[in-house]
């Protein structure tokens, strides 16, 4: 399949679905929501050590949009994770006066942001599901599924 480059992100099925799936927001503003798989890649300035991540965007709609788009205030169109002022750094930030990592700004390193959110949620869910399984509370049939936490499950060997 041909893919189209899109600010560090390659939308595969997305582009096609978008035209008919615009969500109308207050007045005449519209938001185009990519469906299917979004291929997540590092910014151009980074030489990738791992394979790109095939992220099933719409499959994650079982979660609230703002579980990931956490600055969204429900009125403006959602913008990408690496938007200026957000997770826009390609390395860990260092303090000017020393070489120490600037912990307050570390969230801006795009890789930290992705790993924090993606692996964070999958891990928390795994723990919660394990807890459910041991207490037998809240189980009604099948245990819920969660996402991967191992490197090659997200970055498959090329
Ligand atoms: C599990 C995390 C997650 C959830 C939940 C999620 N998204 Fe996303 N979304 C992403 C990621 C990651 C991208 C790609 C980000 C990028 O382009 O930098 C994205 C991209 C988008 C974009 C394109 C942004 C751009 O770059 O222009 C829109 C619009 C969007 N999502 C809307 C939604 C809506 C609406 C929902 C809820 C129905 C939703 N998303 C739920 C993670 C999520
Ligand atoms: C708020 C919780 C949450 C966040 C954040 C989240 N995920 Fe998930 N993820 C899930 C759940 C729940 C599933 C299981 C969905 C299902 O079985 O349909 C899942 C499944 C997956 C899967 C497996 C899909 C399959 O084919 O079985 C992948 C890969 C994945 N996530 C990648 C990511 C990436 C990459 C990010 C960050 C951009 C991310 N996830 C962020 C909750 C989350
Ligand atoms: C839940 C999915 C997920 C898991 C699990 C995961 N990553 Fe990532 N990782 C991502 C996403 C999304 C990005 C940002 C997109 C990109 O740069 O490819 C990323 C970026 C990276 C990057 C920076 C880009 C590059 O290729 O150099 C490295 C290195 C990396 N991950 C290594 C790892 C290692 C090592 C592990 C296991 C300890 C791991 N990842 C586990 C989703 C994941």
């Amino acid at each position: 399949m041909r893919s189209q480059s899109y600010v560090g992100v390659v939308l595969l099925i997305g582009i096609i679905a978008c035209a008919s799936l615009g969500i109308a927001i207050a007045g005449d503003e519209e938001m185009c929501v990519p469906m299917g798989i979004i291929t997540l890649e590092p910014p151009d300035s980074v030489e990738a050590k791992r394979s790109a991540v095939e992220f099933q965007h719409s499959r994650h709609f079982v979660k609230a949009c703002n579980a990931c788009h956490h600055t969204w205030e429900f009125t403006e169109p959602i913008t990408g994770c690496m938007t200026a002022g957000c997770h826009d750094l390609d390395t860990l930030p260092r303090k000017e006066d020393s070489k120490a990592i600037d912990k307050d700004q570390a969230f801006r390193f795009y890789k930290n942001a992705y790993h924090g959110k993606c692996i964070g949620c999958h891990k928390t869910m795994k723990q919660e599901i394990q807890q459910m399984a041991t207490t037998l509370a809240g189980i009604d049939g099948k245990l819920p599924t969660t996402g991967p936490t191992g490197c090659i499950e997200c970055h498959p060997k090329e």
Side-chain angles (χ1 to χ4, degrees):
M1 200 193 291
R2 268 183 64 89
S3 53
Q4 184 171 352
S5 216
Y6 189 70
V7 216
V9 168
V10 185
L11 302 179
L12 293 177
I13 321 175
I15 295 291
I16 306 157
C18 269
S20 55
L21 284 164
I23 293 180
I25 303 184
D28 49 15
E29 255 194 305
E30 282 202 352
M31 175 164 72
C32 172
V33 181
M35 306 294 286
I37 294 173
I38 301 179
T39 303
L40 301 173
E41 293 178 316
D44 289 344
S45 52
V46 171
E47 203 185 313
K49 291 192 202 76
R50 297 270 170 169
S51 64
V53 177
E54 304 249 295
F55 171 59
Q56 309 213 20
H57 190 227
S58 40
R59 196 139 162 205
H60 282 81
F61 293 173
V62 291
K63 295 288 170 188
C65 310
N66 66 350
C68 297
H69 303 294
H70 55 101
T71 60
W72 189 38
E73 288 177 343
F74 312 108
T75 50
E76 76 291 4
I78 286 170
T79 51
C81 308
M82 292 183 238
T83 304
C86 300
H87 310 292
D88 55 353
L89 300 182
D90 61 7
T91 51
L92 269 174
R94 308 261 165 192
K95 290 197 172 133
E96 258 172 51
D97 42 349
S98 67
K99 285 270 160 76
I101 289 165
D102 187 348
K103 287 202 180 113
D104 294 339
Q105 293 293 312
F107 73 91
R108 285 179 59 192
F109 179 31
Y110 83 100
K111 181 185 143 190
N112 273 17
Y114 274 124
H115 278 180
K117 270 276 183 255
C118 311
I119 304 173
C121 177
H122 295 167
K123 261 201 186 136
T124 310
M125 281 190 72
K126 246 176 214 162
Q127 281 160 1
E128 285 168 0
I129 290 163
Q130 260 158 20
Q131 226 161 35
M132 269 200 263
T134 52
T135 61
L136 293 177
I139 293 181
D140 183 17
K142 245 177 70 187
L143 286 170
T145 47
T146 179
T149 52
C151 315
I152 57 166
E153 292 169 278
C154 279
H155 304 281
K157 287 242 160 78
E158 286 166 305

